[in-house]
Amino acid sequence: MTRRLLDLITRILLLIVVLTGAAACTTARGSICLGPDIRYRQQVYDAMNADEAARHLAALKVREQLCPATGVRE
C-alpha cells in the first residue's frame, strides 16, 4: 500500500515538473517568439520563387508583430 502511494506521488510530481516546463516554453503571444530567427542570406531569397518569398516575408512580418523584442532586426 505504501509503495503504491509513493509511486503515485512520484508520478504526480513528475507530471507537475513536465507541465511546468511546457508552460515555461510558451508565451502569451504564442510559441512563435521562441523559434529560431528565420532570416536567410540574399542568395536564398534570390533562389525562391514569388510564392515562396511572399510566404516567407509574411511569416517574418507576423513574427515581427507578435514578438517586437525578438522580431526581425536590421
Side-chain angles (χ1 to χ4, degrees):
M1 178 76 173
T2 307
R3 175 75 179 162
R4 293 176 76 181
L5 182 61
L6 185 60
D7 287 343
L8 180 64
I9 291 172
T10 303
R11 289 181 184 180
I12 290 172
L13 289 175
L14 183 59
L15 179 63
I16 290 171
V17 168
V18 168
L19 291 176
T20 302
C25 291
T26 60
T27 65
R29 295 181 179 128
S31 60
I32 191 172
C33 298
L34 299 174
D37 192 9
I38 55 174
R39 291 179 294 151
Y40 300 127
R41 293 188 311 257
Q42 187 60 44
Q43 295 87 350
V44 175
Y45 289 112
D46 292 342
M48 290 181 178
N49 65 34
D51 287 340
E52 290 171 332
R55 282 194 308 269
H56 181 72
L57 292 175
L60 289 176
K61 189 172 188 176
V62 167
R63 182 184 174 116
E64 184 177 336
Q65 290 171 349
L66 293 177
C67 315
T70 60
V72 178
R73 296 171 297 281
E74 295 292 329

